[in-house]
């Protein structure tokens, strides 16, 4: 067949395809017409054939480039991200995230150990020997903390907080969520960054709390921290688990190639980090608006306990199915790594 | 199996339809510019918000506590969410990337999802680690880009994405190769041969502007090809004009280069300097069969007209083809077109079978 006749024969289709693409690429999936979609996918397939024909016969770089562009644009138009609704986001938070965490619970417990053991040791040190605690956390900082929770300051802060609460909540969002995300991201250095972050955070928090207990401000401190601590501490540990998961994917790919392993573990890790971020947002709101309220400490302890139970129930039971704990065999979302792996295996 | 060495930054992606097409990977230069623009946008938005809040609350200098909280939340959103949200909602592009014509896609060419967009932006933290002090920004990311074939930073590696350059640098025939060159006339050739596209591409490479080749060396290289082509075309070597031989001999030192330029002029079929996308379409030639019939006697008819009608590139010099097919059939004869193309396929298969029987 002749190149020129080929072009003459096909150009109408190409031009039609271009027009369709221009129209459909900009519009949302919901507004696509059925016949347009049929036409577009038919044209796309035939243009794929055109491209391979031109490639195999070497009918010129420009023609090939032109068709290559058409195919690339068509590909981007047809194989786009499946639309995500608010509904799917809510479903992820209510079911997907706790399910995922239960599937990766080993990492959670390792991260918990890395955080809690230094925390307890430092707290013990702080209670028994405040001078030694100064080796862990700078003396001025300890003094600041003590000032914040000493009785007079505490009541003053309460009245002051009435107008400062939003500022504080904003600060907690910026600071705490930032720490969690960093804790996850540093896992990319084979998990080392995460391990270091967890241990250091555990040490510094532990030393501060121990020092406060030693100075006799235990009641103020624990009544303040118990409510938001439920979400905050758990979320930090989850972010740590995400970082460890990322590092583990690099160190130990198992049956997968290292690239695939990174992809699978990375996706799970970022999902955990997203959930952790969400929990920290809640924690920031509680810490900003509820924790410093000038109400009897008993109420705070009660609410705090309820929050701990809530977090526990949420993470343990939410989205539980008949075969919980096993990896979901066929992922509906065929763009997800798991679904992709399955498809690749089938192909 | 060893990976084929790549000299440019194109990545071939196979579609589910079984066709290969190419993406151009974005280099660090454009990505740096995009990154800088994005940083400017982030900082700019922050400053704008602070001024806006000051204007609303009517204070200058000191912000009230509530606004402080808002500023911090915006700061958080800008530093952690900006890139992720842009890439999730704008099909893998941030504003900086749009300005540079870049886009993030998966390495299989499909667009990225929310989690990938979020994850690869979180991993900007390790990517922007300073290794050599404050001068070298984004050192880890740049090193990682240098080490990977798809120029991926750590965030790209983990989430299996790559940044592609969507700016279409159209591969056009350099217009200046064939300027002021006469096409080869029918009368100058005895044979019938159509120079295939891939040969034309080779010739064009020889004349590319960024190639530092001296004219003498180019002539040397051109000679190999030129001699072959002359033979195939049955090119009648011009003789010196007995009355003015100087003009001829002045040209001989560069005669192969000049000949290749004439080949380009004759066979490269798209308009010069015409770089619009549908140029190959516009040039679809409408030569009729009659033109071929008269071609042999009309000396003014240029080769490419004839070629347009008669030549599939497989159809080479007639005499050679016949001897070749008589002994053993070439794979080209068994070649079957995709079915939908068969109905208007008139020339080659029938013609070659006739050639064999005669």
């Amino acid at each position: 067949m002749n190149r020129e006749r080929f072009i003459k024969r096909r150009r109408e289709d190409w031009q039609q395809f271009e027009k369709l693409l221009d129209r459909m690429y900009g519009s949302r999936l919901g507004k696509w017409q059925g016949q347009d979609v049929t036409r577009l996918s038919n044209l796309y397939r035939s243009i794929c054939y055109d491209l391979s024909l031109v490639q195999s016969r070497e009918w010129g770089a420009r023609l090939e480039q032109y068709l290559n562009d058409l195919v690339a644009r068509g590909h981007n138009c047809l194989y786009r991200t499946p639309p995500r609704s608010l509904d799917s986001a809510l479903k992820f938070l209510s079911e997907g995230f706790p399910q995922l965490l239960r599937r990766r619970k080993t990492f959670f417990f390792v991260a918990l150990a890395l955080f809690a053991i230094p925390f307890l040791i430092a707290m013990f040190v702080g209670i028994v020997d405040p001078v030694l605690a100064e080796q862990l956390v700078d003396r001025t900082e300890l003094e600041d903390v003590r000032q914040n929770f000493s009785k007079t300051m505490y009541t003053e802060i309460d009245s002051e907080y009435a107008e400062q609460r939003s500022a504080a909540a904003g600060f907690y969002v910026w600071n705490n969520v930032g720490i969690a995300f960093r804790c996850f991201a540093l896992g990319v250095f084979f998990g080392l960054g995460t391990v270091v972050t967890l241990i250091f955070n555990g040490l510094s928090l532990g030393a501060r709390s121990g020092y406060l207990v030693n100075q006799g401000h235990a009641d103020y401190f624990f009544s303040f921290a118990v409510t938001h601590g439920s979400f905050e501490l758990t979320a930090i540990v989850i972010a740590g688990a995400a970082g460890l998961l990322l590092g583990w994917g690099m160190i130990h790919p198992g049956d997968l190639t290292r690239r695939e392993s990174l992809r699978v573990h990375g996706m799970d890790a970022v999902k955990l980090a997203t959930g952790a971020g969400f929990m920290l947002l809640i924690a920031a709101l509680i810490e900003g608006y509820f924790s410093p309220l000038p109400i009897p400490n008993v109420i705070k302890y009660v609410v705090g306990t309820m929050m701990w139970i809530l977090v526990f129930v949420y993470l343990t039971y939410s989205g539980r199915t008949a075969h919980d704990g096993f990896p979901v065999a066929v992922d509906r979302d065929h763009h997800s790594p798991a679904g992709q792996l399955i498809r690749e295996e089938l192909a | 199996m060893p990976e084929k060495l790549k000299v440019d930054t194109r990545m071939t992606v196979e579609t589910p339809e079984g066709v290969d097409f190419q993406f151009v990977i974005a280099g660090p230069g454009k990505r740096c510019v995009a990154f800088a623009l994005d940083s400017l946008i982030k900082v700019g938005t922050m400053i704008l918000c602070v001024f806006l809040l000051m204007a609303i609350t009517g204070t200058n200098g000191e912000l009230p506590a509530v606004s402080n909280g808002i500023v911090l939340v915006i700061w958080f959103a800008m530093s952690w969410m900006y890139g992720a949200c842009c890439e999730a909602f704008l099909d893998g592009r941030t504003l900086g990337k749009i300005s540079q014509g870049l886009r993030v896609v998966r390495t299989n060419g499909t667009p990225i999802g929310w989690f990938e967009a979020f994850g690869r932006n979180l991993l900007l933290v390790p990517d922007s680690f300073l290794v050599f002090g404050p001068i070298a920004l984004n050192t880890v990311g740049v090193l990682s880009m240098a080490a990977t074939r798809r120029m991926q930073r750590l965030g790209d590696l983990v989430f299996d994405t790559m940044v592609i350059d969507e700016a279409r640098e159209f591969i056009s025939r350099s217009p200046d190769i064939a300027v002021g060159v006469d096409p080869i006339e029918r009368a100058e050739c005895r044979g019938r041969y159509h120079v295939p596209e891939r040969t034309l591409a080779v010739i064009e490479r020889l004349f590319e502007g960024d190639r530092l080749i001296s004219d003498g060396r180019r002539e040397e290289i051109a000679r190999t090809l030129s001699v072959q082509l002359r033979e195939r075309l049955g090119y009648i070597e011009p003789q010196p004009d007995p009355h003015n031989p100087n003009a001829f001999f002045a040209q001989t030192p560069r005669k192969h280069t000049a000949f290749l330029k004439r080949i380009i002029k004759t066979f490269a079929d798209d308009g010069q300097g015409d770089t619009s996308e549908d140029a190959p379409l516009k040039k679809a030639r409408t030569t009729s069969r009659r033109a071929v019939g008269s071609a042999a006697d009309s000396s003014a008819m240029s080769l490419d007209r004839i070629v347009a009608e008669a030549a599939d590139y497989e159809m080479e010099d007639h005499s050679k083809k016949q001897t070749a097919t008589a002994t053993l059939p070439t794979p080209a004869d068994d070649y079957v077109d995709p079915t939908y193309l068969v109905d208007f396929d008139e020339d080659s298969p029938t013609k070659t079978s006739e050639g064999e029987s005669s």
Side-chain angles (χ1 to χ4, degrees):
Chain A
M1 184 198 7
N2 181 310
R3 175 180 188 267
E4 314 311 330
R5 217 170 303 148
F6 166 76
I7 293 178
K8 219 161 80 185
R9 198 72 172 226
R10 302 289 301 141
R11 65 195 288 191
E12 243 173 65
D13 275 0
W14 297 342
Q15 279 159 354
Q16 200 188 355
F17 186 67
E18 270 188 277
K19 270 190 210 133
L20 260 181
L21 267 184
D22 285 340
R23 189 145 49 90
M24 293 173 81
Y25 194 76
S27 65
R28 288 195 303 123
L29 279 182
K31 291 183 180 161
W32 285 15
Q33 306 268 316
Q35 53 189 21
D36 280 355
V37 177
T38 321
R39 187 78 192 121
L40 188 79
S41 59
N42 280 342
L43 282 174
Y44 173 66
R45 244 169 291 146
S46 69
I47 287 173
C48 281
Y49 284 122
D50 291 345
L51 177 62
S52 61
L53 186 86
V54 169
Q55 277 173 345
S56 67
R57 297 203 166 183
E58 303 188 33
W59 268 345
R62 295 200 60 186
L63 184 60
E64 191 180 325
Q65 178 82 23
Y66 171 75
L67 289 175
N68 185 69
D69 278 5
L70 278 188
V71 169
R73 284 170 63 197
H75 185 264
N76 281 351
C77 187
L78 286 169
Y79 296 91
R80 52 169 77 185
T81 326
R84 302 266 185 187
S85 55
L86 190 62
D87 189 46
S88 67
L90 288 177
K91 199 170 164 71
F92 168 74
L93 288 178
S94 66
E95 290 175 18
F97 168 58
Q99 275 170 0
L100 180 64
L101 186 66
R102 286 197 293 275
R103 212 164 69 218
R104 302 290 193 178
K105 56 175 174 272
T106 329
F107 291 94
F108 177 81
F109 289 121
V110 173
L112 182 64
L114 284 172
F115 180 76
I117 294 173
F119 179 89
L120 292 176
I121 292 173
M123 193 169 169
F124 178 73
V125 168
I127 295 172
V128 176
D129 186 358
V131 184
L132 193 58
E134 282 168 17
Q135 302 290 319
L136 292 171
V137 180
D138 195 51
R139 191 202 180 96
T140 46
E141 275 184 45
L142 281 181
E143 205 48 37
D144 273 355
V145 176
R146 195 182 64 80
Q147 291 267 315
N148 278 347
F149 287 97
S150 63
K151 191 172 169 63
T152 47
M153 277 293 282
Y154 191 41
T155 42
E156 269 171 36
I157 284 177
D158 278 346
S159 56
E160 210 179 297
Y161 257 17
E163 53 192 59
Q164 287 234 330
R165 262 170 215 156
S166 304
F171 174 78
Y172 296 137
V173 169
W174 171 73
N175 185 53
N176 297 356
V177 186
I179 287 174
F181 285 167
R182 218 165 282 131
C183 182
F184 154 71
L186 292 182
V188 85
F189 298 121
F190 300 97
L192 286 180
T194 306
V195 171
V196 171
T197 313
L198 279 175
I199 292 178
F200 272 76
N201 270 315
L203 283 178
S204 109
L205 274 179
R208 280 161 213 235
S209 352
Y211 184 73
L212 284 173
V213 174
N214 177 275
Q215 299 292 312
H217 302 306
D219 194 34
Y220 299 122
F221 174 67
F222 285 119
S223 66
F224 175 79
V226 67
T227 320
H228 63 259
S230 56
F231 281 95
E232 198 169 275
L233 297 178
T234 321
I236 290 285
V237 172
I238 292 174
L244 292 179
L245 187 59
L246 194 58
W248 186 249
M250 306 175 94
I251 296 168
H252 184 79
D255 293 338
L256 303 171
T257 68
R258 210 167 286 270
R259 231 184 96 196
E260 281 167 348
S261 153
L262 256 187
R263 192 172 57 182
V264 173
H265 287 84
M267 277 307 267
D268 278 0
V270 75
K271 283 178 182 172
L272 287 183
T274 311
F278 164 75
M279 287 177 72
L280 280 168
L281 284 184
I282 298 176
L285 291 180
I286 298 175
E287 188 174 0
Y289 294 103
F290 177 80
S291 296
L293 279 184
I295 48 175
N297 286 347
V298 184
I299 300 179
K300 288 188 187 176
Y301 284 125
V302 171
V303 176
T305 315
M306 278 160 60
M307 284 293 169
W308 277 101
I309 294 171
L310 180 71
V311 169
F312 178 78
V313 169
Y314 167 59
L315 294 178
T316 321
Y317 293 103
S318 190
R320 193 169 263 246
T321 53
H323 22 247
D324 194 45
F326 294 98
V328 183
V330 179
D331 204 324
R332 277 278 176 76
D333 177 3
H334 70 281
H335 276 300
S336 80
Q340 221 158 17
L341 282 182
I342 289 166
R343 271 186 305 140
E344 277 165 16
E345 218 157 285
L346 291 177
Chain B
M1 206 170 64
E3 199 85 43
K4 223 196 219 170
L5 187 68
K6 301 276 286 187
V7 288
D8 58 10
T9 56
R10 267 168 241 184
M11 281 307 301
T12 302
V13 166
E14 194 183 340
T15 70
E17 288 75 20
V19 169
D20 293 340
F21 70 97
Q22 294 182 324
F23 283 121
V24 178
I25 306 286
K30 277 193 171 182
R31 288 179 71 171
C32 260
V33 176
F35 183 79
L37 275 174
D38 280 332
S39 309
L40 271 182
I41 290 172
K42 289 178 200 172
V43 175
T45 317
M46 280 296 304
I47 293 174
L48 205 73
C49 282
V50 171
F51 278 120
L52 211 66
L53 283 170
M54 277 183 183
I56 292 171
T57 51
T59 51
N60 35 2
E62 273 297 287
L63 276 178
V66 179
S67 315
N68 251 330
I70 295 174
V71 168
L72 280 169
V73 170
I74 293 171
W75 188 2
F76 166 77
M78 280 293 140
S79 52
W80 291 105
M81 294 296 174
Y82 165 82
C85 288
C86 276
E87 283 172 15
F89 292 109
L90 297 175
D91 271 330
R93 293 171 300 174
T94 60
L95 298 180
K97 287 197 179 75
I98 290 177
S99 77
Q100 295 301 306
L102 307 181
R103 183 194 294 275
V104 187
V105 292
R106 295 194 178 122
T107 51
N108 61 7
T110 53
I112 57 169
W114 283 15
F115 284 116
E116 280 131 333
F118 185 48
R120 70 185 293 284
N121 278 290
L122 285 191
L123 287 194
L124 265 177
V125 174
D127 268 327
S128 52
F129 257 26
L130 313 176
V131 174
F132 307 117
I135 309 150
L137 267 166
N138 289 347
T139 313
V140 174
V142 172
L143 285 179
S144 156
M145 278 171 73
T148 48
R149 207 154 40 95
R150 295 190 180 87
M151 295 202 226
Q152 293 162 299
R153 59 177 179 84
L154 291 180
D156 290 322
L157 276 176
V158 172
F159 295 97
D160 204 28
T161 57
M162 60 183 179
V163 181
I164 56 165
D165 193 340
E166 289 196 308
R168 304 268 176 237
E169 283 172 27
F170 217 78
I171 304 170
S172 61
R173 308 209 184 275
S174 0
D176 48 338
I177 295 180
V179 168
V181 178
D182 302 323
I184 300 170
E185 301 297 333
R186 177 71 234 166
E188 289 179 78
C189 303
R190 284 189 302 266
R192 295 186 65 178
Y193 175 66
H194 179 49
V195 180
E197 275 286 345
R198 58 186 141 178
T199 312
L200 294 178
V202 170
I203 298 176
E204 277 160 11
R205 294 281 289 279
L206 188 63
F207 289 103
E208 261 170 21
D210 54 351
R211 235 158 251 266
L212 284 174
I213 308 179
S214 70
D215 285 351
R217 177 65 185 141
R218 182 176 288 130
E219 175 72 12
E220 269 178 12
I221 299 170
R223 186 171 176 279
T224 325
L225 192 55
S226 166
V227 168
Q228 288 287 323
L229 284 175
R230 278 163 202 252
E231 198 180 303
R232 297 267 171 101
L233 284 167
Y235 182 68
I236 303 161
E237 297 288 339
Q239 297 301 318
D241 180 2
H243 303 296
N244 184 14
N246 280 348
F248 174 79
F249 286 115
Q251 283 172 3
T252 18
R254 300 277 178 269
K255 69 172 184 177
H256 294 299
T257 335
F259 181 75
L260 290 188
K261 281 187 177 174
R262 293 183 72 192
I263 295 272
I264 289 282
K265 177 77 173 179
T266 314
F267 292 98
D269 55 348
D270 40 356
Q272 286 167 15
D274 184 5
T275 48
S276 68
E277 283 203 8
D278 52 356
L281 308 182
K282 280 183 197 152
K283 288 298 287 184
R285 265 183 254 105
T286 51
T287 323
S288 65
R289 206 157 264 284
R290 202 191 53 78
V292 179
S294 61
D297 35 295
S298 156
S299 59
M301 183 74 68
S302 77
L303 252 186
D304 67 330
R305 288 270 198 81
I306 306 153
V307 152
E309 187 56 36
D312 206 326
Y313 83 90
E314 291 154 1
M315 211 178 96
E316 304 197 343
D317 193 356
H318 245 315
S319 54
K320 277 189 181 174
K321 182 97 184 177
Q322 271 176 2
T323 50
T325 46
T327 48
L328 80 166
T330 58
D333 293 331
D334 310 327
Y335 180 76
V336 183
D337 281 311
T339 40
Y340 80 100
L341 292 170
V342 164
D343 58 339
F344 53 90
D345 188 354
E346 293 163 24
D347 311 337
S348 29
T350 46
K351 220 166 207 173
T352 38
S353 60
E354 275 168 20
E356 268 172 296
S357 59
S358 63

